[in-house]
């Protein structure tokens, strides 16, 4: 009886202390949580999402479009020059030589596209690098497990099913003679 | 082996530049009857109107890709014997295997040379 009375007393005295300790823990958790949120806010502010959306990404899109146009124009200029050389009458050797010389210069001029596209590609690469590094910093703080795996879009699903991988990096691509060997194995 | 350059050829690619390159290469080889299509569905329509002795197709096109065109061609009893060469930047082994399983006659990876194109045409039309 006496022992039971002592136990009840100690529970009664431990109750408020335990509750206080738990409350302190919750407060500490909330404080750390607030710190995390504050840090993430700073990271998100550094993302400069509005600048990315209104300036950098549209600029990168325009630059990629410009690359396509520039390379297409160069390819067409080169092919036009070559077609004219192939169709030229070589009977008049002086005139033929002058034409070939003229068209060769046109080809050299068209090859200047590489300088322009090189610069544009460099700018797009810089934008992608900036986006990647900022997102990586945020992902590191949040923990990647916080992001559930996104379902594939219809386009991604189609690309996966039809193997629409596009041009491969050298390490992943196989050469024509390897392709020939692969086809020969089937035969 | 002598090529029959009188055979009509259909080139399928969504890049005008590539169509022009292949057309010029074919013309240099000696082909004269060359038609063009910018995707698989346009190609299929042309193949159902005219009998081609050879199809040279890209893989990555919209709305109908080269592999879908190949499957359509091989499942059509009027077209299924047409030689079909895939000319593509898709250079993974899995692409080659998928194309072979779908019935491709030969496979050329971009960029390619005129000699490669000629050799593959000879191999499938000979």
């Amino acid at each position: 009886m006496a022992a039971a009375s002592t136990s009840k007393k100690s529970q009664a005295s431990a109750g408020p202390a335990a509750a206080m300790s738990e409350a302190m823990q919750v407060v500490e958790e909330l404080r750390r949580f607030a710190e995390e949120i504050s840090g993430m806010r700073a990271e998100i502010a550094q993302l400069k999402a509005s600048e990315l959306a209104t300036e950098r990404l549209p600029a990168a899109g325009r630059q990629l479009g410009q690359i396509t146009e520039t390379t297409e124009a160069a390819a067409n200029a080169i092919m036009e020059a070559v077609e004219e050389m192939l169709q030229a009458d070589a009977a008049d050797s002086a005139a033929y030589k002058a034409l070939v010389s003229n068209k060769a210069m046109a080809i050299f001029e068209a090859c200047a596209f590489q300088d322009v596209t090189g610069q544009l590609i460099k700018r797009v690469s810089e934008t992608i690098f900036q986006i990647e590094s900022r997102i990586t910093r945020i992902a590191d703080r949040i923990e990647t497990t916080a992001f559930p795996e996104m379902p594939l879009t219809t386009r991604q699903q189609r690309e996966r099913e039809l193997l629409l991988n596009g041009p491969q990096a050298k390490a992943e691509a196989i050469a024509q003679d390897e392709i020939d060997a692969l086809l020969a194995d089937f035969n | 082996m002598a090529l029959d350059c009188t055979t009509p050829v259909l080139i399928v690619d969504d890049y005008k530049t590539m169509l022009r390159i292949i057309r010029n290469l074919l013309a240099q080889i000696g082909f004269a009857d060359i038609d063009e299509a910018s995707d698989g569905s346009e190609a299929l329509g042309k193949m159902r109107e005219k009998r081609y002795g050879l199809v040279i197709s890209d893989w990555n096109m919209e709305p109908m890709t080269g592999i879908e065109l190949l499957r359509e061609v091989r499942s059509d009893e009027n077209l299924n014997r047409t030689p079909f060469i895939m000319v593509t930047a898709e250079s993974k082994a899995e692409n080659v295997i998928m194309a072979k399983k779908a019935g491709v006659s030969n496979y050329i990876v971009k960029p390619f040379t005129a000699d490669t194109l000629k050799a593959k045409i000879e191999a499938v039309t000979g």
Side-chain angles (χ1 to χ4, degrees), chain A residues 8 10 37 49 52 58 64 70 73 101 108 123 129 138 181 185-186:
Chain A
K8 273 185 185 172
S10 81
I37 290 173
L52 282 172
L64 289 172
T70 308
S101 174
F108 276 123
R123 286 185 181 193
F129 177 75
I138 289 188
D185 281 349
F186 269 93

Side-chain angles (χ1 to χ4, degrees), chain A residues 75-76 78-84 86-87, chain B residues 11 16-31 34 36 112 114 117:
Chain A
N76 282 331
I78 291 167
M79 283 191 288
E80 270 168 31
V82 173
E83 282 167 7
E84 283 186 52
L86 290 171
Q87 288 158 14
Chain B
I11 323 167
K16 286 194 172 79
T17 308
M18 206 62 220
L19 288 172
R20 192 167 173 177
I21 289 169
I22 297 175
R23 172 183 278 277
N24 273 300
L25 291 175
L26 290 173
Q28 286 303 304
I29 292 169
F31 288 94
I34 305 165
E36 298 174 357
F112 57 94
L117 180 65

Side-chain angles (χ1 to χ4, degrees), chain B residues 78-92:
Chain B
N78 294 316
L79 307 174
N80 62 11
R81 283 184 293 279
T82 311
F84 194 113
I85 298 178
M86 195 73 83
V87 179
T88 174
E90 300 287 353
S91 52
K92 278 189 170 177

Side-chain angles (χ1 to χ4, degrees), chain A residues 68 71-73 75-77 79-81 83 86-87 155 158-169 172-180 182-184 186-187, chain B residues 15-18 20-21 24 28 59-65 67-68 71 89-98 100-101 104-110 112 116 120:
Chain A
T68 307
T71 51
E72 188 176 0
N76 282 331
M79 283 191 288
E80 270 168 31
E83 282 167 7
L86 290 171
Q87 288 158 14
R155 184 180 176 84
R158 179 172 159 78
E159 285 177 351
R160 188 171 287 191
E161 284 170 5
L162 296 172
L163 301 183
L164 303 175
N165 301 308
Q168 301 301 303
E172 291 176 321
I174 56 173
Q176 185 65 51
D177 53 353
E178 292 171 287
I179 289 171
D180 293 346
L182 198 54
L183 293 175
F186 269 93
N187 294 334
Chain B
Y15 274 87
K16 286 194 172 79
T17 308
M18 206 62 220
R20 192 167 173 177
I21 289 169
N24 273 300
Q28 286 303 304
W59 183 304
N60 205 332
M61 300 174 289
E62 294 290 345
M64 187 191 279
T65 63
I67 192 72
E68 289 171 310
R71 287 173 182 154
E90 300 287 353
S91 52
K92 278 189 170 177
E94 61 181 1
N95 288 85
V96 182
I97 292 166
M98 181 185 270
K100 190 63 191 173
K101 285 180 177 169
V104 80
S105 311
N106 221 316
Y107 196 104
I108 300 174
V109 66
K110 293 176 185 172
F112 57 94
T116 302
K120 301 306 175 196

Side-chain angles (χ1 to χ4, degrees), chain A residues 54-67 69 120 124:
Chain A
T54 60
E55 291 174 32
R56 287 185 178 272
L57 287 176
R62 284 195 301 274
Q63 285 154 356
L64 289 172
Q66 209 178 332
I67 290 167
E69 285 170 17
L120 290 167
V124 174

